[in-house]
Amino acid sequence: MMSDTLLPSPVPFSGGSNKWKHRSLSAVNKSKRYLARLVRLSHMDFEYATWQMIYLFISPSKVYRSVQYRKQTKNQYSRDDPAFLVLLSLWFVISATGLSLVLRLPFLAFIKFLFWVVFVDCIGVGLIVATVFWFVSNRYFRADRSNNEDVEWGFSFDVHLNAFFPPLIIIHVIQLLLFNALINSDWFLSRLFGNTLWFISSVYYAYITFLGYGSLPHLKRTQIILYPLIPLFFFYMITLVSGINICRVIMDFYKYRVYY
């Protein structure tokens, strides 16, 4: 396993601001370069992407240590290496296959389910969430409005992908392994375990999102991102008391949108 000490520490940039701006890639050019690398597997750093996925679970703050380094060397906060996205896509296929087996979906229903999970749950919702956070962070979180530095939309989408990975594994993999044996029951312990998995996933998403925007030096008050966890905790307690098994509800929802 790689250590965070292998990541180089950021160094101050000593060049003139105008020279730096002239070297800056436009958002369109950055996107073109990113998409071009999607078909060049040999140019992707899968070892580093795997390291990021592991540390998103055990120490998410270490994943964002390299943000400033990337900004000072490549003049962008967002990833320019699609290796993380490629590995995330593989996890989608694995999790969708497992869930299809649990739900006993035929092949065509599996393809439809995979489409929903990838293009709606992750990418579609991610586009909306990233855009909202991009707007809010630039409008309300910037510490100095006289500073021209803003939050890149690509960085907001990267934060969403980072925050989405632990819930994907918890809800679509760990829950999958234990659903029929433990969660899919009317017992209180089944409900407690399933709802706790859902709550932990939500905490992961909020915390990693907070760390992402908190890693940018020109933003302030990013702790506001964690505030929704308070009503979320009360909702979690209400579901336990009222007998709502969130994981069963989610699985029923998956069945509904595949067959209807």
Side-chain angles (χ1 to χ4, degrees):
M1 183 180 299
M2 296 180 60
S3 169
D4 65 304
T5 57
L6 297 179
L7 292 175
S9 300
V11 293
F13 174 68
S14 57
S17 60
N18 290 333
K19 180 180 178 181
W20 188 249
K21 289 179 181 178
H22 286 309
R23 293 177 57 191
S24 175
L25 292 173
S26 67
V28 174
N29 288 335
K30 290 177 182 178
S31 300
K32 287 182 178 178
R33 187 175 69 175
Y34 184 88
L35 293 174
R37 295 189 66 178
L38 276 174
V39 296
R40 300 175 181 175
L41 295 179
S42 61
H43 292 190
M44 300 184 196
D45 190 348
F46 289 107
E47 182 181 4
Y48 181 62
T50 301
W51 177 92
Q52 288 182 313
M53 288 183 165
I54 293 173
Y55 271 85
L56 283 172
F57 274 100
I58 62 179
S59 184
S61 60
K62 294 181 180 179
V63 175
Y64 290 105
R65 178 178 173 179
S66 61
V67 167
Q68 285 301 311
Y69 177 76
R70 186 162 58 236
K71 176 64 175 177
Q72 292 163 359
T73 56
K74 301 180 180 180
N75 195 27
Q76 64 182 72
Y77 288 114
S78 57
R79 292 187 181 98
D80 64 340
D81 184 351
F84 187 92
L85 180 61
V86 172
L87 292 181
L88 184 64
S89 300
L90 291 177
W91 275 110
F92 272 119
V93 174
I94 293 171
S95 64
T97 301
L99 278 168
S100 297
L101 293 175
V102 172
L103 297 175
R104 295 181 175 87
L105 300 179
F107 180 73
L108 291 180
F110 158 72
I111 297 299
K112 184 178 180 181
F113 176 74
L114 181 62
F115 176 88
W116 271 99
V117 172
V118 174
F119 293 101
V120 177
D121 293 350
C122 181
I123 297 179
V125 173
L127 293 175
I128 297 173
V129 172
T131 301
V132 170
F133 272 104
W134 169 76
F135 174 80
V136 171
S137 59
N138 281 315
R139 184 71 178 269
Y140 300 106
F141 290 168
R142 288 172 63 181
D144 184 5
R145 295 193 175 278
S146 62
N147 186 349
N148 292 328
E149 191 170 31
D150 60 359
V151 178
E152 304 163 5
W153 186 92
F155 177 78
S156 295
F157 192 68
D158 280 345
V159 171
H160 165 72
L161 294 181
N162 288 343
F164 193 86
F165 178 68
L168 172 68
I169 300 301
I170 294 172
I171 298 299
H172 284 192
V173 177
I174 297 177
Q175 175 197 244
L176 168 68
L177 297 175
L178 301 171
F179 184 75
N180 287 327
L182 179 60
I183 299 174
N184 191 21
S185 173
D186 295 327
W187 297 345
F188 173 77
L189 288 179
S190 300
R191 185 165 67 252
L192 174 64
F193 185 80
N195 290 9
T196 301
L197 286 180
W198 174 84
F199 180 70
I200 291 174
S201 299
S202 302
V203 171
Y204 259 116
Y205 189 92
Y207 181 59
I208 293 175
T209 300
F210 157 72
L211 290 176
Y213 291 96
S215 68
L216 302 183
H218 56 282
L219 298 185
K220 62 180 181 179
R221 302 193 305 273
T222 53
Q223 68 274 11
I224 294 176
I225 296 172
L226 296 175
Y227 289 177
L229 290 179
I230 298 175
L232 193 67
F233 174 76
F234 285 107
F235 175 75
Y236 163 70
M237 298 301 295
I238 290 173
T239 60
L240 294 178
V241 174
S242 61
I244 300 174
N245 189 322
I246 298 177
C247 290
R248 292 177 71 177
V249 171
I250 293 175
M251 295 293 270
D252 289 340
F253 171 70
Y254 286 157
K255 289 181 180 179
Y256 174 81
R257 71 180 185 181
V258 167
Y259 287 113
Y260 298 98

